Amino acid sequence: LLIFPGKIYHVTTYQAEAIICRLLNMQLRKVLVACGEVSGDQVAAAITRTLKTLGIREVHGVGGPLLKKEVSGTFLDAAAINKYGLVEVLPSIFAAKALVKQTVNLAGSERVDAILTVDSKGFSFRVHEAIRNSLSSIRQYHIVSPSFWAFSNGRQRAARLKDILDKIFVIHRFEKSFYDSIGLPCDFVGSLAVQRLICEDALGVRSHVHSKDIGGLFPGSRDHEIESTLPLLRELFGRNRALYACSGFNESVDDVSVWREVKESVYEDEDRKRQSKYDALKQLQWAVCSSGTMSTELASLHVPQVVLFKPHWLTALAVKSLAKVKYVNMINILASKELIPEAKFGDCTPANVRRLLEDALNRTTQVDTIRQVGSIVASEMVPFDAHCDDVGHWSCQNNPLLLPELVAQSVV
C-alpha cells in the first residue's frame, strides 16, 4: 500500500521503489568523492556542494580540508599522499596503498551508488580498478585527465580506462576528441579556476599597471614541489619587502611546514592577504609559479610570469625520453610555442628566472600575446562563450554553467 493524503494506491514493490525514489529527488542515493592531492581539493569541494543542492544528501569524501567541510558522511584524510612524479611518490607509496584500500572499503561499507575521483591518477585509477573488480555495480567517474596525450605511450595507457570508468570529465576541449577517439564517454567541463576568474573579471574593471613593485610567489600545492623550489625562491628574493607571497588562496597549502618556512623569508602584505583571490591576482605586476592551475589563472588575467618545473632528476629523465611536447605550461602546449617563459629542468636557476622574468614583463604587455592567450583560454578552457579584448578584459555570457554544475548534473 502506498498511502497519500486522502488516497491509497495498490502497487507492486518495484513500482513503489521507483515512485519513492522520484519523490525523494534522489535523496536515497550515496556518492563518494575522492581526491588524492591538494590541487584538486577545491574542485572536489565545489562539486560536493553542488551535489547536495541537487538532492544527493549523503556524500562521503577522501581528500583535504576543503572537501572535509562539505561532506555529510564519512571522511578520510589524504594528506599523506600529496605527491606527484616517479621518484617523488616513493616515500608515500605504503600510505597510498593503505588509503586505496580504505577508500574501497568505504565505498563498499556505505554502499555508495557512484564514485567520483579528482586528479591524482596514481591513487584514483587504483581505486577504480579495485572497485570495478569487487563492487562493479558502482558507477565510476573521474575528472581531470592525466596528460596521456603528451607521451608516446599515452594512447595505449588511456585505452585501459575504458575498463574501469563509466565517464571521464576533462578540463581542456581537445582532450574530449582524444577520449572520443578511443571510445571512452567524455564531457568537456573546463577549468573551474579559470571560469571563476573570467566571470569575475567580466563584472569588474582590471587596470594593467606595469611596475615591478608587487609580485607573487606560487610554489605549488604539493610538498615536494615546494621543497624543490624553496632554495631557488630564497636565493631569488630573500627579504624583499616589495614581494607579495601569495599562499592564502588554498587553505591546504598553509598547513605545509616548508611553505611556512618560505613565508617567513619574505614580506607578506596583510591587507592583500585579506582580499579575495581575484582581487589580489589582478593587482600583481609579475609572478613566479610552478606549472599548473595557478599558472593558467595568471595567464587568463595576463599577469607576466615565469613557470618553474624542477622535478627529481630521474623523473626529469623519464619525462624527456617519453614526452611528445616541448613545453610544460598548458598555454604554451596549446599554442605550440612559448608564449609564457619556462624555467625547467637544469635551466631552473635564479639567474635564468631573473632573465626570463624581464622577458615576461615585456612580452605579456604586447597586444598580440594578449590576443593569443585570450583565444586559447576561451576556446580550450571554458565551456561557455567568453571573449578577451586587446587590453586583457574578459566578457562572457550571463549566468553560465560552471564545472561543478556540469559534473554534478551528469553524475546525478
Side-chain angles (χ1 to χ4, degrees), residues 203-215:
L203 297 175
V205 177
R206 178 175 185 271
S207 59
H208 295 263
V209 181
H210 303 294
S211 164
K212 300 178 184 178
D213 294 334
I214 293 292

Side-chain angles (χ1 to χ4, degrees), residues 350-366:
N352 196 40
V353 171
R354 286 194 189 96
R355 179 182 64 79
L356 292 173
L357 191 56
E358 290 294 330
D359 179 54
L361 286 166
N362 295 326
R363 186 187 308 184
T364 314
T365 61
Q366 298 173 0

Side-chain angles (χ1 to χ4, degrees), residues 297-318:
E297 292 177 75
L298 292 167
S300 70
L301 291 177
H302 309 286
V303 175
Q305 63 174 300
V306 173
V307 171
L308 308 179
F309 184 63
K310 193 177 182 181
H312 189 278
W313 69 269
L314 285 175
T315 301
L317 187 65

Side-chain angles (χ1 to χ4, degrees), residues 339-356:
L339 293 175
I340 298 171
E342 298 180 353
K344 54 184 183 285
F345 306 124
D347 293 331
C348 191
T349 63
N352 196 40
V353 171
R354 286 194 189 96
R355 179 182 64 79
L356 292 173

Side-chain angles (χ1 to χ4, degrees), residues 24-34 43-61 67 70-72 113-118 141 143 169 403-412:
L24 293 180
N25 191 26
M26 306 297 288
Q27 291 183 28
L28 296 179
R29 296 300 176 94
K30 302 177 182 179
V31 177
L32 172 59
V33 178
V43 172
I47 294 172
T48 300
R49 190 160 51 247
T50 307
L51 283 170
K52 292 188 294 184
T53 66
L54 294 177
I56 304 295
R57 298 305 181 197
E58 190 169 332
V59 184
H60 305 277
L67 179 59
E70 300 297 336
V71 299
S72 53
D113 297 285
I115 177 171
L116 170 69
T117 53
V118 182
Y141 306 94
I143 180 170
F169 302 97
L403 180 150
E405 290 80 18
L406 294 172
V407 173
Q409 288 179 9
S410 182
V411 170
V412 169

Side-chain angles (χ1 to χ4, degrees), residues 387-401:
H387 174 72
C388 180
D389 63 23
D390 289 348
V391 293
H393 294 153
W394 284 97
S395 60
C396 67
Q397 68 185 65
N398 293 329
N399 302 316
L401 285 178

Side-chain angles (χ1 to χ4, degrees), residues 88-101:
E88 293 87 343
V89 301
L90 293 178
S92 61
I93 192 168
F94 293 109
K97 285 185 175 181
L99 187 61
V100 167
K101 185 176 181 179

Side-chain angles (χ1 to χ4, degrees), residues 158-170:
R160 299 172 188 164
L161 298 183
K162 292 191 294 182
D163 298 328
I164 60 173
L165 293 178
D166 293 295
K167 179 180 282 189
I168 187 168
F169 302 97
V170 296

